Amino acid sequence: MGKKRKQRETEVVAPPKKDMSAEERPKRTLLGWKDKSEEVGKESDSSGFRNKEKVLVTCSRRINFRYRHLMLNVVSLLPHCKKDNKVESKASKGATLNELVELKGGSSCLFFECRKHKDLYLWMVKCPNGPSVKFLVNAVHTMEELKLTGNHLSGSRPILTFSDNFDKDAHWKLLKEMIIQIFGVPKEHRKSKPYHDHVFVFSIVDDHIWFRNYQISVPHNEADKLPRGGLENMTLVEVGPRFCLNPIKIFGGSFGGPTLYENPFYISPNQIRALDKKKKAGKYAKKVKAKTRRKMHELSNQLEPDEFADMWKE
Amino acid sequence: MEDGNIEDHSEEASQSESESEEDGDVRLTEPAKNSIYNREGLLDKLGDISWPENVGWIHKLSLDINQEQEVDVNDDLARELAFYTQALEGTRQAFEKFQSMGLPFLRPSDYYAEMVKTDSHMVKVKGRLLAEKKKIEEAEERRKAREAKRLSKEIQAQKLKERTKQKKDEIESVKKWRKQRQQSGFAGGERDVEMDLDFEDGKVFEKSDKKRPGVAPGDRSGGKAKRGPINRKKQQKREQRSSKFGSGGRKALKKQNSAETTNDLRGFNRADFTGNKKRKR
């Protein structure tokens, strides 16, 4: 009961506070003193919901430069995020990170964990009550790559598109909800811009979540008269970054708790490497074996002496 | 996986060829038996974290796009195209929604603000695009030049062929004509020779005699037979001279005196010696 309960609490707590503040003085806004009546009207108009998502983005120590750049790209895409110092990988188990998120006042966390300088894991966590998801990140391309030619406003709210197989299963549904909350920029966030010029793609292919970010571009002279013919001329240019998330596990709590889901197809990269090594190790033994077998074969069926062997010698 | 990691360490420029390798992750062929799937727990959590039902779309900005057909992961182009169409479809729908709500959608052309990528980075991107374009153009030019060269060579060969054919035809026709004349019985030897000479002068296959004066009209060797004995004499002389004076090569060492040549008095006259003595006395 993370978000919901919180709201209920605030709603319950709010009225007495308001009464008290009415006695003292109204809240101050940029335009002057806020009227009580106006405040009430506004609240009813937006049905009382305000997205106060704040994402803490951090990474483990000894992270690869490429993955660090990926993290920075994510930071640049999310105006509602807070970047923090690297965290010691060993200490990342639960408590420290939870504390950190609480300290920063975040409601969710993206933690990039790099192991052995090659494997990147991404923790996507709702704080403080969970759930948390651990992904293996594949196919990373950062925004710095020159072939990604798009560009968009920093802090404009992205449009999130999901492929329809997100509604297929319970864990995908949960992931979708988490992605909406974490990657969606809150409306009227102070760092966000009032226009929409990029699209995020979250698509499940081969049981992996693929991420793409496209800029919406319309021919220059037609930007003003979009309502009429602009829709056909709309094209997308990729901005980046690209990555592919392979969900490994979903936990009930934040950075821990009971396991709710386990990817049945998952093999860890360590296992893959071990398998590779094993394959390579067998090579020499196989060669030796083949050699001895050949020798045995030659011994068992010897060639008959050639009758023409000394024909030309005389 | 291994490939992907190697690619990570390499420079980003080599993206295009490494792209096909990157998703070569291994997975179990059949699902593990003991994996946990707590559906109730998941749905419970989903209920916990999800926003209230009545939240407006404007807060979420999320759209579900129908993926028409299964996408093959290993086909890069098809996969990217699927993502692109999903994004495009999403933007169209979003655009319509914004239109109906009367909210601004795209950035107006006079709205300038900080962009995700810096200007210096975009300059780099542009430079790369230009360089690529230039490369393509250059390759095209080279290809064209090569083609033109090949074509001209062909034309040249054709021309040569034609010329030889023409020559052959002409010779053939002359032969034919001669034969015809012989068969029909020609008037006189003298005139015939004249005619022949006429032909030989006019046609290509004999050089004109004018260039070699002093050659008799009937001489088939072209005057070489006549010049032969004179040449031989001349050659003998030349040989003698060269045996005496040497021909070609460095002369300096041959002309130098050595111990033998200084003692060799064959070239001198005895009388001269005696004469000298007398004079001294």
Side-chain angles (χ1 to χ4, degrees):
Chain A
M1 288 294 236
K3 199 76 201 193
K4 239 184 193 171
R5 195 201 280 158
K6 240 190 188 169
Q7 276 151 18
R8 217 174 288 149
E9 271 171 15
T10 49
E11 270 166 40
V12 170
V13 175
K17 246 190 189 169
K18 258 179 217 160
D19 294 342
M20 272 160 70
S21 68
E23 282 168 22
E24 291 162 8
R25 62 180 184 196
K27 239 185 185 175
R28 194 169 180 183
T29 65
L30 279 178
L31 299 173
W33 303 106
K34 206 174 203 172
D35 262 352
K36 210 175 103 188
S37 58
E38 199 182 287
E39 203 176 43
V40 169
K42 222 178 184 180
E43 216 163 73
S44 65
D45 156 78
S46 63
S47 72
F49 177 77
R50 191 174 167 79
N51 185 1
K52 283 190 219 149
E53 193 74 22
K54 196 171 171 193
V55 185
L56 181 79
V57 180
T58 181
C59 63
S60 68
R61 240 168 233 300
R62 289 186 286 280
I63 193 173
N64 205 320
F65 76 96
R66 195 186 184 88
Y67 298 150
R68 194 182 66 240
H69 280 271
L70 175 70
M71 185 193 68
L72 293 177
N73 290 159
V74 169
V75 167
S76 72
L77 290 179
L78 308 178
H80 59 295
C81 81
K82 187 95 186 156
K83 191 165 86 67
D84 200 49
N85 298 344
K86 289 176 181 171
V87 178
E88 192 61 47
S89 199
K90 285 281 186 294
S92 66
K93 299 277 177 290
T96 345
L97 274 164
N98 274 333
E99 229 168 72
L100 208 66
V101 178
E102 210 167 307
L103 216 69
K104 294 283 173 186
S107 59
S108 47
C109 178
L110 287 177
F111 177 55
F112 291 82
E113 186 182 3
C114 187
R115 288 201 196 149
K116 299 193 171 182
H117 295 284
K118 28 182 130 157
D119 308 323
L120 181 68
Y121 297 91
L122 173 64
W123 285 82
M124 206 182 268
V125 180
K126 294 296 292 178
C127 284
N129 295 328
S132 49
V133 191
K134 190 182 177 190
F135 296 101
L136 177 71
V137 186
N138 277 336
V140 172
H141 294 255
T142 60
M143 219 188 250
E144 279 76 31
E145 276 170 25
L146 294 181
K147 70 168 183 179
L148 305 171
T149 51
N151 198 359
H152 60 76
L153 289 174
S154 75
S156 64
R157 296 183 64 206
I159 295 160
L160 309 171
T161 62
F162 292 88
S163 64
D164 58 351
N165 39 13
F166 267 99
D167 294 325
K168 208 170 53 183
D169 226 334
H171 66 280
W172 291 126
K173 273 184 199 163
L174 183 69
L175 286 179
K176 183 182 170 187
E177 186 61 35
M178 288 178 76
I179 287 171
I180 286 177
Q181 293 188 9
I182 290 174
F183 282 90
V185 177
K187 188 172 175 268
E188 285 159 6
H189 187 269
R190 79 194 156 79
K191 279 190 205 157
S192 75
K193 308 228 163 64
Y195 303 106
H196 307 268
D197 62 350
H198 65 296
V199 199
F200 286 171
V201 174
F202 294 94
S203 183
I204 301 176
V205 177
D206 194 31
D207 287 339
H208 293 42
I209 301 175
W210 297 75
F211 173 86
R212 294 288 184 273
N213 176 19
Y214 291 99
Q215 173 203 355
I216 304 167
S217 84
V218 174
H220 240 308
N221 46 358
E222 284 184 52
D224 312 328
K225 48 178 182 178
L226 235 190
R228 287 185 288 280
L231 207 54
E232 278 70 51
N233 298 334
M234 206 182 279
T235 52
L236 302 176
V237 188
E238 185 161 4
V239 181
R242 293 175 173 186
F243 52 85
C244 171
L245 301 173
N246 185 11
I248 304 170
K249 269 186 183 182
I250 300 179
F251 300 102
S254 78
F255 289 110
T259 308
L260 300 179
Y261 166 79
E262 217 173 3
N263 189 349
F265 295 102
Y266 174 71
I267 310 178
S268 83
N270 279 339
Q271 271 171 312
I272 294 166
R273 278 193 288 269
L275 272 178
D276 265 6
K277 245 180 207 170
K278 214 178 253 175
K279 233 183 249 166
K280 266 178 203 158
K283 211 167 158 190
Y284 176 67
K286 223 183 266 172
K287 238 190 237 169
V288 170
K289 213 172 161 187
K291 230 177 209 171
T292 52
R293 206 169 54 209
R294 177 73 194 157
K295 213 166 234 177
M296 293 307 289
H297 178 78
E298 272 172 358
L299 277 177
S300 59
N301 349 305
Q302 259 176 343
L303 279 177
E304 293 170 16
D306 192 0
E307 52 181 314
F308 300 118
D310 43 19
M311 190 176 186
W312 303 106
K313 278 182 189 166
E314 310 245 319
Chain B
M1 275 319 292
E2 202 67 17
D3 290 347
N5 288 317
I6 289 164
E7 177 227 343
D8 288 348
H9 292 296
S10 69
E11 201 37 56
E12 291 164 354
S14 62
Q15 281 308 318
S16 49
E17 66 264 335
S18 61
E19 192 150 13
S20 52
E21 298 167 17
E22 71 196 9
D23 9 284
D25 61 343
V26 187
R27 42 183 287 170
L28 288 178
T29 44
E30 54 190 62
K33 297 280 185 316
N34 54 353
S35 63
I36 301 166
Y37 196 97
N38 184 354
R39 194 178 297 272
E40 286 77 42
L42 286 171
L43 288 175
D44 201 28
K45 273 290 162 199
L46 176 63
D48 280 357
I49 62 162
S50 56
W51 290 336
E53 282 289 313
N54 56 351
V55 165
W57 177 79
I58 194 70
H59 287 284
K60 285 186 173 178
L61 290 183
S62 81
L63 289 161
D64 292 344
I65 311 298
N66 187 19
Q67 217 172 41
E68 279 94 13
Q69 66 248 33
E70 278 293 302
V71 182
D72 179 22
V73 213
N74 297 320
D75 186 354
D76 289 345
L77 274 179
R79 194 186 61 216
E80 295 304 319
L81 185 70
F83 296 152
Y84 183 87
T85 47
Q86 181 185 330
L88 197 63
E89 189 58 35
T91 12
R92 293 215 167 124
Q93 287 180 19
F95 173 69
E96 269 153 26
K97 280 194 179 182
F98 278 113
Q99 279 291 301
S100 64
M101 274 188 265
L103 289 166
F105 180 58
L106 273 181
R107 165 173 77 111
S109 51
D110 57 349
Y111 181 87
Y112 291 107
E114 194 196 350
M115 305 293 267
V116 167
K117 292 179 184 173
T118 58
D119 282 351
S120 62
H121 180 77
M122 289 316 280
V123 166
K124 264 192 224 167
V125 169
K126 198 176 162 192
R128 183 175 179 265
L129 283 180
L130 286 179
E132 224 160 58
K133 201 174 154 198
K134 205 174 145 200
K135 220 160 85 184
I136 289 171
E137 268 170 10
E138 268 170 8
E140 187 77 7
E141 223 159 77
R142 267 201 304 270
R143 198 181 57 79
K144 260 183 197 162
R146 210 160 46 222
E147 206 100 301
K149 208 172 172 185
R150 216 190 60 206
L151 209 70
S152 70
K153 219 174 182 177
E154 243 166 47
I155 289 171
Q156 191 67 25
Q158 193 102 27
K159 239 186 217 167
L160 268 176
K161 221 169 159 187
E162 228 161 67
R163 222 176 270 166
T164 50
K165 195 172 168 254
Q166 201 186 349
K167 196 170 154 184
K168 221 167 142 189
D169 281 352
E170 269 162 10
I171 292 168
E172 204 76 3
S173 72
V174 169
K175 268 185 188 164
K176 216 169 158 189
W177 178 81
R178 224 187 226 165
K179 227 178 201 173
Q180 261 179 2
R181 250 180 92 82
Q182 237 167 13
Q183 274 173 357
S184 61
F186 43 90
E190 217 174 288
R191 268 193 71 194
D192 185 40
V193 169
E194 238 172 63
M195 290 299 281
D196 269 359
L197 274 179
D198 249 348
F199 264 100
E200 278 163 11
D201 279 346
K203 297 304 169 189
V204 238
F205 61 87
E206 256 301 341
K207 275 186 183 168
S208 67
D209 280 350
K210 278 171 199 166
K211 280 180 188 171
R212 294 176 292 173
V215 178
D219 193 355
R220 300 201 66 176
S221 70
K224 273 174 191 161
K226 209 178 165 189
R227 250 183 269 155
I230 302 163
N231 263 4
R232 221 170 287 147
K233 226 179 195 174
K234 246 186 187 172
Q235 224 159 7
Q236 272 180 352
K237 203 177 171 186
R238 180 70 252 165
E239 267 169 18
Q240 275 176 345
R241 276 166 177 255
S242 53
S243 73
K244 192 175 179 186
F245 303 110
S247 71
R250 197 175 143 100
K251 306 287 184 314
L253 291 173
K254 282 181 187 168
K255 287 182 177 177
Q256 246 173 12
N257 268 343
S258 63
E260 284 156 9
T261 52
T262 39
N263 290 333
D264 190 6
L265 300 177
R266 272 183 302 171
F268 294 100
N269 225 338
R270 282 262 149 153
D272 284 346
F273 280 94
T274 52
N276 276 344
K277 278 177 187 169
K278 272 179 190 167
R279 223 181 276 168
K280 272 193 174 176
R281 277 174 194 173

